[in-house]
């Protein structure tokens, strides 16, 4: 949620992500929405984290990570996580019907046969939704 607050402080949407290494249980990346900052409609927190970690590690696979996000990943972010082989995502607030593409992450994840991803909801859901409503 602190990352989402940083996004808002920078004039972006209130979406944050924390990435944890599954082997060490350590946080290895923190990021947030930077769409306006980067003038890039794909600069969502999850995409930023994927780009950063893959570049830093010189890898295309983040198979040993878990993504914790303040909101249900949009189709772009979920597809990015699938392509990066992220096995698990926990998120807070569910996507609202007013989202640009209101497709449920679990429904989209079920379509991924080659790189399955487990989607779990409800982590601080009310707090994350309240944070989004303030924006």
């Amino acid at each position: 949620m602190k990352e989402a607050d940083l996004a808002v402080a920078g004039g972006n949407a209130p979406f944050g992500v924390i990435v944890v290494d599954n082997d060490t249980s350590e946080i290895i990346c923190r990021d947030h929405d930077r769409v306006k900052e980067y003038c890039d409609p794909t600069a969502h927190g999850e995409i930023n984290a994927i780009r950063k970690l893959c570049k830093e590690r010189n890898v295309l696979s983040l198979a040993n990570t878990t993504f914790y996000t303040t909101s249900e990943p949009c189709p772009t972010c979920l597809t990015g996580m699938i392509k990066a082989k992220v096995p698990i995502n926990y998120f807070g607030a569910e996507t609202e019907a007013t989202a640009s593409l209101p497709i449920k992450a679990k429904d989209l994840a079920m379509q991924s046969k080659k790189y399955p991803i487990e989607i779990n909801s409800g982590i601080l859901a009310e707090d994350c939704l309240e944070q989004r409503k303030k924006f």
Side-chain angles (χ1 to χ4, degrees):
M1 292 187 66
K2 289 179 184 177
E3 284 298 318
D5 287 338
L6 289 173
V8 171
N12 296 285
F15 303 112
V17 60
I18 300 292
V19 183
V20 173
D21 183 299
N22 293 342
D23 297 328
T24 65
S25 298
E26 292 181 28
I27 295 172
I28 56 173
C29 187
R30 300 169 192 264
D31 216 313
H32 52 269
D33 186 279
R34 296 176 187 268
V35 170
K36 290 183 181 176
E37 179 182 345
Y38 291 172
C39 198
D40 177 354
T42 67
H44 297 183
E46 298 93 327
I47 299 299
N48 297 335
I50 290 166
R51 288 174 177 158
K52 181 179 179 181
L53 285 168
C54 287
K55 188 170 185 168
E56 282 178 0
R57 294 172 172 217
N58 197 32
V59 298
L60 296 176
S61 172
L62 299 174
N64 68 329
T65 64
T66 297
F67 277 50
Y68 293 86
T69 57
T70 55
S71 289
E72 183 173 9
C74 73
T76 300
C77 292
L78 184 62
T79 301
M81 287 190 280
I82 289 169
K83 290 298 220 174
K85 303 176 187 163
V86 173
I88 305 170
N89 168 241
Y90 290 95
F91 71 85
E94 291 190 13
T95 300
E96 296 178 19
T98 57
S100 56
L101 287 171
I103 299 169
K104 299 309 263 174
K106 282 188 179 188
D107 293 341
L108 187 56
M110 288 188 328
Q111 303 303 312
S112 178
K113 306 299 182 210
K114 190 171 182 181
Y115 306 120
I117 182 169
E118 179 185 327
I119 305 295
N120 300 286
S121 62
I123 305 293
L124 299 171
E126 289 181 30
D127 294 335
C128 291
L129 185 58
E130 189 60 36
Q131 182 182 48
R132 203 164 66 197
K133 285 180 181 178
K134 283 192 262 183
F135 177 72

